[in-house]
Amino acid sequence: MSATREDVGGTPLPPGWAQPAHQPDAFEISTTTFEQRATETMARPFARRAIANATDHAAALTTARFVGIDHDALRDKARQIRAHAIANLPDYLDQWIDAAEAHGTIVHYAADESEARRIVAQICRDEAVTRVVKSKSMASEEVSLNSALEAIGIDIYETDLGEFVVQAMGDRPGHVIAPILHRTKDEVHALFSTMAGRELPNEAEALTAFARDRLRHAFLTADAGISGGNFLIAETGEVLLVTNEGNGRLTTALPKIHIALVGIEKIVPRRRDLAVLLPLLTGHGTGQQITTYVTMVAGPRREQEPDGPERMHVVLLDAGRSALLGGEFEEALHCIRCGACQNVCPVYRQVGGHAYGWVYGGPIGAVLTPLFRGQVEGGELAHATTLCGACDDVCPVKIPLHDLLLGLRRRRDEEGCVPRSEQLAFALWGQVWSRPLLYRASTAVARGSLRVIARDGVLSAKAPLLRRWTAGRDLVVGRRRS
Amino acid sequence: MTDDAGVSTAVQLFPTCLGDVLARQTVDDTERVLTALGISHSRPSGTTCCGQPAFNSGHDHPARAVAKATLRALDDGSDEPILVPSGSCTSMVRLHWRELFHGTPEAEGALRVARRVRELSSYLAEHTEALRALKPTLAVRVGYHDSCHMLRELRIKEAPRQVLATIAGVELIELASSERCCGFGGTFSGRYPEVSVAMADAKIDDLEFAKIDVLVSSDPGCLMQLAGRMSRQETPVRAVHLATLLCEALA
Ligand code: SF4
């Protein structure tokens, strides 16, 4: 063979093009607060505007997508399908494994994040993999896969355009569907121009063309493709992927090894269930009737087939999922990661995904982070919402996010994770306000003091006990008209 | 007491804790409106708070203790409607007391009271003819803020607008952000003040805001948040409770 693997077409990226991925570790999540992290995003006005615009736009697309459709009935069906699948998860998983193995897929089970990293690393070693192309996978974010593989000397190329930007910047995805929702086109333009070593036209087509050219080379030279999976179809043993850029198809078909890392909760019983779930996933994710590509992969290439990988591995990721089965928070497993709850969340709209500290932001992030990472790391997030209920109303599989958040707040109290000062304050409050006489006395005192410290019926700043409240707002006490 | 149409004309009023401390005007104005309508009203003695601040913070124990005092005061054997000038507190009593008192000796009483509580605007919306007969008049451009609990828990959206429509001279301008949370969220507003304020701004920065004179809502919590931010920003828009606007229109 005369051609080396480097002159296959496309332009290779120079070494060091990607910044080391910043994966927040347990220490970091538990030593910074939501407030601190939120302030970081809020201090960047561009990011704030980008997030607000993008989420408003996405939410509007979703609404428009389901006009004239009995959306609620569809969501009810989807809820039933998900509830049934999760209630029978072990059985459907067995069925899926049997069917997948019959296709020649090699199935692995990762109980936790470190096991997932170990399994994928071992596959790479066994298969002598040195270069990997990846399509978007939140599961791989959960297990910090990239840094683990980089550590053993593997070159990784994120091939989803957004993830490519994330990787080049050493950033983290800020949204489950749109990883660079917190970035502006100008930022991407500046980044790509630096990478290209020349000023690129600041137009979407030119920027995409640049990424495509660089990624083409990566695709053609990679030994393995790593993907996630949107659904696992129990009856057929297939992994289903939805993408819009075609990179999912290339990742799963071009390199000689395909590895899919998929959360075990992605199981659905039958192909026909997708008639309900797929339009909801895409409609709530991007407002599309269907994504440009829907890829169903069942095993490696068979003899008569012209393409496909020589071997296909699926790593089923548990990492906190099976512990939720049968419990108060089981419904969190119904999630199909459409991102719609993030798009309508008024808190997410201000602070973006990174404020939530780990992989998932918005309402579902506030639920999953404490469940998957524990109270110490993620418990506070259950409070980082106003319980406005917008997420409940949009969720395509009708997860009662509001109730789950409230349940997590309760569990935090039961497990003694609430600061002592808060415990005491509520205990005292309970003592006083459960007695009507004391209540009357206390409200009279409150009214009296407010009147004394207020000026013109307004309490403006630095009032004792109210400092946090009045830092950015007045307390309008008002005067009663008689 | 019921009138000819079978609508109850004697009601009780649960002021709520905000109504006892910061939003007394709202309670006064509610009473004035009821008086003008010829609806006899009383305030049961001994009510405190519905327990929501603790309940929504995950502290069921103190929430139950406090709500129990209010439950005792409200569960007086009558079946008169209990009007609440707050969507959020109505939602707490109507929908969440069931859960809060589940398995306790108060469970039945909680259900009885839950059946009687009525959010003020939804009650007034049943009296629009009587309201119109009083010829309420006020020339103002109004924006309405749908509070989250009223909208997404009680599913009340039209009632306050129907009440506003009884006022001659009111021009209702629908805000693009009318359904977006104001950022109050009870204890959230104190836990994360900066985020909370930014959320209030997201409402106030709504373009339509320039077109209104008054922002009306049916929830003292949201009003405390929005009026507070607007006062700090010197936004030339007043934020008032529906009962207050109605009262002004009847004056
Ligand atoms: S919780 Fe519901 S809305 Fe949010 S990502 Fe999951 S499926 Fe979508």
Side-chain angles (χ1 to χ4, degrees):
Chain A
M1 223 163 50
S2 61
T4 71
R5 89 170 187 179
E6 300 302 333
D7 41 52
V8 287
T11 314
L13 283 153
W17 67 276
Q19 304 298 314
H22 175 83
Q23 304 272 5
D25 57 15
F27 175 77
E28 188 179 333
I29 307 174
S30 54
T31 52
T32 56
T33 62
F34 176 80
E35 187 172 23
Q36 288 166 340
R37 297 185 301 257
T39 313
E40 259 179 56
T41 307
M42 290 175 37
R44 296 173 48 224
F46 280 126
R48 268 175 92 177
R49 210 166 316 134
I51 296 165
N53 289 343
T55 51
D56 287 355
H57 181 64
L61 287 178
T62 296
T63 310
R65 164 65 182 93
F66 293 102
V67 167
I69 291 174
D70 192 349
H71 191 196
D72 205 51
L74 198 61
R75 290 167 68 219
D76 276 329
K77 269 197 203 142
R79 204 201 78 81
Q80 282 163 13
I81 293 170
R82 292 301 293 145
H84 173 81
I86 296 301
N88 299 284
L89 184 65
D91 292 343
Y92 283 125
L93 218 45
D94 281 345
Q95 192 189 351
W96 183 87
I97 293 170
D98 288 345
E101 287 179 342
H103 292 304
T105 304
I106 305 161
V107 182
H108 312 257
Y109 192 91
D112 57 26
E113 295 153 16
S114 64
E115 199 175 358
R117 289 192 292 264
R118 238 183 2 254
I119 292 170
V120 178
Q122 193 58 48
I123 297 170
C124 289
R125 275 195 212 98
D126 293 349
E127 305 274 9
V129 169
T130 59
R131 186 170 292 172
V132 162
V133 280
K134 262 187 82 201
S135 70
K136 199 170 135 19
S137 153
M138 293 309 279
S140 77
E141 293 292 326
E142 275 186 50
V143 309
S144 305
L145 189 63
N146 286 16
S147 24
L149 295 183
E150 278 160 9
I152 56 168
I154 293 175
D155 281 341
I156 300 169
Y157 297 84
E158 290 285 355
T159 63
D160 172 273
L161 184 60
E163 295 286 357
F164 177 69
V165 171
V166 165
Q167 191 186 9
M169 287 184 169
D171 198 359
R172 281 187 290 142
H175 186 280
V176 291
I177 298 291
I180 49 167
L181 169 128
H182 56 295
R183 297 286 176 191
T184 58
K185 188 165 126 246
D186 288 346
E187 285 177 287
V188 175
H189 171 244
L191 171 79
F192 283 4
S193 295
T194 312
M195 287 169 76
R198 67 189 161 90
E199 177 83 6
L200 297 171
N202 193 357
E203 284 152 19
E205 292 77 45
L207 298 175
T208 317
F210 167 78
R212 263 177 206 271
D213 173 67
R214 298 308 192 265
L215 288 172
R216 179 172 307 126
H217 186 268
F219 273 123
L220 293 170
T221 56
D223 317 297
I226 297 183
S227 74
N230 294 94
F231 294 110
L232 298 168
I233 306 161
E235 72 177 353
T236 59
E238 289 163 308
V239 177
L240 181 140
L241 287 164
V242 294
T243 58
N244 274 320
E245 296 164 12
N247 64 317
R249 182 166 290 189
L250 289 173
T251 302
T252 57
L254 213 47
K256 72 176 200 294
I257 312 293
H258 171 210
I259 306 167
L261 177 65
V262 192
I264 52 171
E265 87 286 8
K266 293 289 176 79
I267 203 90
V268 294
R270 303 157 305 179
R271 259 191 175 184
R272 53 191 280 215
D273 296 325
L274 299 170
V276 175
L277 293 174
L278 214 46
L280 282 172
L281 173 61
T282 60
H284 284 251
T286 53
Q288 289 169 291
Q289 298 209 347
I290 188 106
T291 42
T292 316
Y293 298 89
V294 176
T295 311
M296 297 197 221
V297 274
R301 165 151 55 121
R302 268 157 270 187
E303 264 188 33
Q304 71 285 12
E305 289 174 345
D307 54 17
E310 285 167 27
R311 266 176 303 286
M312 174 172 171
H313 296 264
V314 174
V315 182
L316 296 171
L317 179 68
D318 188 328
R321 287 157 170 84
S322 59
L324 302 181
L325 291 174
E328 186 189 349
F329 300 103
E330 183 180 285
E331 281 163 298
L333 297 176
H334 296 178
C335 175
I336 57 173
R337 304 283 191 276
C338 71
C341 58
Q342 302 183 321
N343 297 336
V344 299
C345 176
V347 176
Y348 178 92
R349 192 171 184 276
Q350 297 302 329
V351 305
H354 295 172
Y356 294 80
W358 190 50
V359 175
Y360 301 105
I364 189 62
V367 169
L368 289 180
T369 307
L371 291 176
F372 285 177
R373 305 296 306 210
Q375 287 287 352
V376 177
E377 287 179 51
E380 184 207 8
L381 292 186
H383 284 285
T385 91
T386 56
L387 297 179
C388 80
C391 48
D392 283 23
D393 275 8
V394 80
C395 177
V397 293
K398 293 200 170 182
I399 298 174
L401 290 153
H402 169 288
D403 292 348
L404 296 180
L405 288 164
L406 198 50
L408 283 165
R409 291 182 183 188
R410 257 183 228 131
R411 196 172 79 169
R412 192 167 146 78
D413 181 43
E414 287 156 13
E415 292 180 357
C417 299
V418 173
R420 188 102 191 97
S421 54
E422 181 180 332
Q423 286 286 355
L424 283 173
F426 273 108
L428 181 69
W429 173 85
Q431 290 292 329
V432 176
W433 279 22
S434 57
R435 296 174 171 79
L437 279 181
L438 287 180
Y439 171 81
R440 271 167 75 167
S442 75
T443 52
V445 169
R447 282 196 307 266
S449 356
L450 287 175
R451 216 173 303 129
V452 170
I453 46 178
R455 276 171 209 283
D456 295 325
V458 166
L459 213 142
S460 52
K462 307 221 175 61
L465 298 174
L466 292 172
R467 235 172 324 151
R468 279 175 76 75
W469 216 88
T470 50
R473 291 159 287 211
D474 294 343
L475 195 62
V476 181
V477 181
R479 277 156 304 184
R480 263 169 117 191
R481 282 178 278 115
S482 50
Chain B
M1 240 196 332
T2 55
D3 65 12
D4 299 343
V7 180
S8 172
T9 52
V11 299
Q12 298 183 4
L13 188 62
F14 168 36
T16 79
C17 63
L18 266 181
D20 283 332
V21 181
L22 276 172
R24 298 183 99 199
Q25 188 69 57
T26 301
V27 183
D28 291 350
D29 291 340
T30 302
E31 289 184 329
R32 281 198 193 103
V33 171
L34 292 172
T35 304
L37 282 168
I39 297 168
S40 76
H41 50 86
S42 59
R43 289 194 204 183
S45 73
T47 62
T48 66
C49 158
C50 64
Q52 179 164 207
F55 179 78
N56 271 357
S57 297
H59 305 293
D60 281 9
H61 192 75
R64 209 174 291 119
V66 169
K68 201 161 107 180
T70 299
L71 168 57
R72 287 219 178 101
L74 294 176
D75 192 24
D76 60 355
S78 96
D79 58 0
E80 286 169 358
I82 302 163
L83 303 192
V84 192
S86 154
S88 189
C89 307
T90 311
S91 171
M92 177 68 198
V93 176
R94 207 180 168 92
L95 304 175
H96 300 296
W97 270 18
R98 171 197 308 264
E99 197 183 337
L100 182 63
F101 289 109
H102 181 77
T104 72
E106 285 78 27
E108 271 191 36
L111 285 183
R112 271 194 300 275
V113 174
R115 277 193 291 269
R116 288 171 55 204
V117 287
R118 297 291 312 274
E119 187 281 319
L120 178 68
S121 76
S122 70
Y123 178 83
L124 291 177
E126 291 166 6
H127 294 76
T128 46
E129 263 181 51
L131 272 173
R132 261 196 203 97
L134 297 170
K135 301 210 182 317
T137 311
L138 199 66
V140 280
R141 289 164 304 175
V142 171
Y144 187 80
H145 164 65
D146 288 287
S147 80
C148 298
H149 291 166
M150 196 159 139
L151 181 71
R152 284 183 276 269
E153 293 197 332
L154 297 173
R155 302 283 172 196
I156 299 173
K157 171 141 177 126
E158 290 313 316
R161 291 171 170 79
Q162 287 161 5
V163 174
L164 284 171
T166 65
I167 306 177
V170 159
E171 185 193 344
L172 178 66
I173 294 169
E174 282 296 343
L175 304 173
S177 66
S178 71
E179 296 189 355
R180 183 178 293 146
C181 176
C182 67
F184 176 58
T187 54
F188 176 89
S189 61
R191 276 180 213 272
Y192 305 112
E194 281 193 46
V195 184
S196 171
V197 165
M199 289 164 74
D201 284 346
K203 285 206 75 104
I204 298 169
D205 293 343
D206 184 318
L207 289 177
E208 260 84 29
F209 237 76
K211 300 183 199 149
I212 63 171
D213 308 308
V214 191
L215 180 69
V216 175
S217 184
S218 305
D219 245 300
C222 310
L223 286 166
M224 169 174 148
Q225 161 86 349
L226 290 168
R229 182 58 181 167
M230 280 153 60
S231 163
R232 177 63 53 91
Q233 296 287 78
E234 299 180 359
T235 311
V237 174
R238 284 198 305 147
V240 300
H241 195 278
L242 179 67
T244 299
L245 195 81
L246 207 48
C247 215
E248 289 174 9
L250 289 171

